[in-house]
Amino acid sequence: MAIKIVIDHREMRSRVPEALVKLGAEIEISTLKTGDYVVSDRVAFERKTVDDVFATLIERRELFSQLTDLAKSYRKPILIIEGEDIFFFSGRRMNPKAIQGFLNSIALMRIPTIYTLNEAETAQVITMIAAKEQIDKTRSFNLHGKRSRLSQSKAKEYIVSSLPGIGQVAARNLLKHFGSVENVMTAPLEELMNVERVGYRTAKRIRELSGGRYGSE
């Protein structure tokens, strides 16, 4: 019996579904409220490319709300981060410590993260896990689940507060002062120090993480 995998329709823009079919999987296209790939009543995957992750770091927090919804809907949610630049910072103007803070936030959500090099490898991972899940032929699929939506303000607070040494209060103060995540990340040290609860050490840390050259330490 073929392995069955339910795929969100937006994933059809990638080559993962085609690779799944080549591996012998039976795919079903659906509009999933949470997750990109569902392989049983308890396992679902959220797939993100390295570019998606980088965009989340800079301005959006869409990924965190998606993972929260996935964890609420499935007992075993899995995040797949796909791309050859698995360390994220090659050629990026982002300090690796900021990347590490982001990954630490995901780890605290207790969601396993699997790194793949390309779409074909992603398909292999999904197929292997689906095969193990579907050994029990009575296991069903849960395609429901609820999608929450965080306000833009809360999303931006979460991004800034994920930087090492920056709490929620300081993040809120920074955003109130500068108006956007981008402005916080690019602000001069002296102006950062004008914000309440942001002293020299914190301001210096922001500048080092957001603008420091990789390999400078």
Side-chain angles (χ1 to χ4, degrees), residues 156-157 160 168-198 206:
K156 294 176 191 297
E157 285 178 20
V160 177
Q168 287 188 332
V169 175
R172 192 177 301 117
N173 292 342
L174 285 163
L175 286 165
K176 285 180 179 178
H177 183 88
F178 293 105
S180 72
V181 175
E182 182 178 6
N183 289 343
V184 172
M185 297 297 187
T186 57
L189 184 142
E190 294 77 11
E191 191 169 349
L192 287 167
M193 290 172 59
N194 290 331
V195 178
E196 185 179 357
R197 300 194 67 162
V198 178
I206 294 173

Side-chain angles (χ1 to χ4, degrees), residues 61-62 64-65 68 148-155 158:
R61 192 210 148 199
E62 179 181 283
F64 290 101
S65 61
T68 298
S148 59
R149 186 174 182 82
L150 296 169
S151 68
Q152 286 291 319
S153 295
K154 290 295 181 183
Y158 194 94

Side-chain angles (χ1 to χ4, degrees), residues 12-63:
M12 297 307 293
R13 291 174 290 186
S14 76
R15 296 178 182 175
V16 176
E18 179 184 351
L20 289 170
V21 171
K22 288 181 179 179
L23 290 171
E26 176 186 321
I27 66 172
E28 176 183 327
I29 313 304
S30 181
T31 300
L32 299 178
K33 292 183 178 180
T34 57
D36 295 320
Y37 299 86
V38 178
V39 300
S40 73
D41 64 325
R42 64 178 186 170
V43 177
F45 298 85
E46 185 72 35
R47 169 184 168 268
K48 293 296 179 186
T49 64
V50 170
D51 287 339
D52 292 332
V53 173
F54 188 67
T56 298
L57 264 172
I58 295 299
E59 188 59 28
R60 304 175 314 193
R61 192 210 148 199
E62 179 181 283
L63 175 57

